[in-house]
Amino acid sequence: ALIVTPIDEESLVPVLQQASDQDVSVITLGATVSDPEVITSFVARDNLDIGRQKAQYVVDQLGGKGKVGIIHGIRGLTFTEEQAKGYEEILGAESGIEVVDGPYTGGFSADLGLDATANMLTSNPDLNAIIYDNDDLALGGAEAVRNAGINLDDIVIVGTDGGEPALDAVEDGTIDMTISLCGFREGSSAIDTLNTFFEDGEVEDRIVSEVEVFTTENAADKRAELDQRIECN
């Protein structure tokens, strides 16, 4: 068997086709490839729903009125594109929300987030919120907000991933909300999926792994709870 986390939906297809032809079971984890016929199952959180949850949080925080910037990661990546659909679905339904759909940074790093946010704020200094595809972008973005002389209390910043630096930032109010992808939980689910396939000879095409929402209000308590269960590191 193979467990693979692709960063490109197309490039791995020929290799995974070879694996399939040789009866090697393939689980894609976190992101998948464009041809579902070459894999056994896809294990991941629901990125579309994550996008919806993040956008709805922003709408609620702004009371349905405000200017929202979006900074994306890697174009074409399932993680990026599905979240974008979720943002559009929720924000597009709100007549009081103006969306500034920003760049695809081409990666997930604080430096890229800082540069993209600085450029966005130059043209849109009146942003009320910024949604980032992941937490590294958001952490860099928060630094750009500070550099622009904007108080972090005056802008809603939302990310995704839930690594320790981001959870620290949510707890201290630098970032307002993140959704932890719970990598430990997701990896365990991939192994369980393989075991089920080996034992039963079949498995569902898509296995959804649960995520956890962290906000400044709940971060401390939720971290303590999850640390005890070692489920979401």
Side-chain angles (χ1 to χ4, degrees):
L2 291 172
I3 297 176
V4 182
T5 300
I7 59 170
D8 184 301
E9 293 192 357
E10 302 294 338
S11 62
L12 278 178
V13 169
V15 176
L16 298 186
Q17 181 64 63
Q18 292 180 42
S20 178
D21 292 344
Q22 296 177 43
D23 295 325
V24 176
S25 303
V26 177
I27 305 293
T28 48
L29 178 63
T32 194
V33 292
S34 59
D35 184 359
E37 297 300 318
V38 303
I39 65 172
T40 306
S41 185
F42 168 36
V43 178
R45 61 276 162 181
D46 186 337
N47 293 308
L48 175 62
D49 191 58
I50 287 173
R52 290 172 179 149
Q53 290 187 66
K54 290 161 68 176
Q56 189 61 58
Y57 176 84
V58 167
V59 169
D60 293 344
Q61 292 297 303
L62 299 183
K65 296 181 179 179
K67 192 172 184 179
V68 180
I70 300 173
I71 293 180
H72 304 280
I74 300 173
R75 187 182 297 276
L77 189 66
T78 304
F79 176 65
T80 295
E81 301 299 349
E82 289 296 302
Q83 285 194 86
K85 292 176 185 176
Y87 307 153
E88 181 179 3
E89 178 183 321
I90 298 300
L91 299 178
E94 298 289 334
S95 60
I97 297 291
E98 177 185 353
V99 176
V100 180
D101 198 7
Y104 284 78
T105 61
F108 300 104
S109 71
D111 287 346
L112 291 171
L114 188 153
D115 291 343
T117 305
N119 291 334
M120 181 175 281
L121 289 172
T122 298
S123 303
N124 301 275
D126 56 341
L127 287 177
N128 303 110
I130 308 177
I131 300 174
Y132 297 86
D133 274 358
N134 97 318
D135 289 332
D136 290 328
L137 292 172
L139 289 167
E143 186 64 26
V145 168
R146 289 193 189 97
N147 293 344
I150 300 171
N151 192 315
L152 287 172
D153 291 336
D154 296 331
I155 188 167
V156 179
I157 296 178
V158 174
T160 310
D161 272 349
E164 289 298 314
L167 295 182
D168 289 342
V170 171
E171 198 167 335
D172 69 23
T174 300
I175 297 175
D176 295 275
M177 180 261 215
T178 188
I179 295 183
S180 173
L181 304 182
C182 300
F184 182 94
R185 186 183 290 169
E186 197 170 75
S188 296
S189 182
I191 297 299
D192 289 342
T193 300
L194 275 178
N195 284 335
T196 298
F197 182 71
F198 292 149
E199 291 174 1
D200 300 341
E202 59 182 7
V203 72
E204 295 180 22
D205 295 337
R206 173 70 192 274
I207 308 295
V208 177
S209 179
E210 295 182 14
V211 297
E212 297 287 346
V213 177
F214 290 84
T215 67
T216 300
E217 291 73 28
N218 75 7
D221 291 340
K222 179 164 282 196
R223 290 178 83 179
E225 174 192 350
L226 290 172
D227 282 348
Q228 290 175 0
R229 293 188 285 155
I230 321 177
E231 284 191 15
C232 213
N233 295 326

